[in-house]
Amino acid sequence: MFTQPNNQQNIFYIDDDPDDLWLFKEAAKSLGKSVTAFRQSEQLLNAMLSPPPTPSVVFVDLNMGDRSGFEVVEDIRQHQKLLSLPLVIYSTSDNRKTIETCRKLGTALYVIKPAKMKAISKVIQHVTSIDWNNHQITDENFVIKI
């Protein structure tokens, strides 16, 4: 349902840090991909419930000011039409308890946020190449660290 050709993928990203948003968007741009960025959870949810565009994948930062990434995921998962949407946690934390909580909340992946543009590009390329309709979450593929 959420798989689209590479050039038509709609990547959504929520993070309250403007520098992180800029880096992520630039990394995506270097791959020929565009990102719809949000700094507040209410804006993200409104956009997701009022397409177009319809997101192919949503990257969610955990540590934000208005609502935590946990709360954002819970808000999204309350909507039936968004249940199968791949949510990717994008965080600097590598805490096992945090990672497990994200998995229990129904996220598709947990990415440990890299600092360098080249690594961010690799993350975006990897995540957007996944066939989400056939993706099976396992202990081996849930956490990505580049």
Side-chain angles (χ1 to χ4, degrees), residues 4-136:
Q4 298 172 343
N6 252 1
N7 60 350
Q8 293 180 9
Q9 288 181 330
N10 296 309
I11 302 167
F12 281 20
Y13 175 40
I14 181 166
D15 195 322
D16 66 344
D17 184 319
D19 293 333
D20 285 350
L21 287 172
W22 182 84
L23 275 173
F24 190 91
K25 288 171 77 173
E26 288 298 308
K29 185 178 176 181
S30 75
L31 298 168
K33 300 177 185 300
S34 64
V35 175
T36 304
F38 303 90
R39 292 186 64 191
Q40 295 185 346
S41 59
E42 186 177 306
Q43 294 170 332
L44 170 69
L45 196 56
N46 286 339
M48 292 171 69
L49 295 172
S50 306
T54 300
S56 308
V57 63
V58 180
F59 286 80
V60 179
D61 181 48
L62 278 183
N63 299 312
M64 295 182 286
D66 73 328
R67 294 182 64 76
S68 74
F70 299 118
E71 293 170 308
V72 171
V73 169
E74 289 172 337
D75 290 347
I76 292 168
R77 291 299 186 225
Q78 289 180 15
H79 298 275
Q80 185 68 33
K81 75 179 197 173
L82 302 176
L83 286 176
S84 64
L85 177 64
L87 302 178
V88 176
I89 297 300
Y90 192 64
S91 177
T92 55
S93 173
D94 62 357
N95 179 281
R96 291 303 308 163
K97 185 177 178 185
T98 300
I99 292 168
E100 191 56 35
T101 299
C102 291
R103 188 167 175 177
K104 288 178 182 175
L105 288 173
T107 61
L109 290 175
Y110 188 101
V111 175
I112 298 171
K113 191 185 289 188
K116 299 192 185 235
M117 182 79 69
K118 188 172 184 176
I120 296 169
S121 295
K122 285 182 182 181
V123 165
I124 295 168
Q125 185 63 44
H126 174 76
V127 170
T128 58
S129 70
I130 294 172
D131 176 358
W132 292 108
N133 290 322
N134 296 306
H135 181 73
Q136 298 292 321

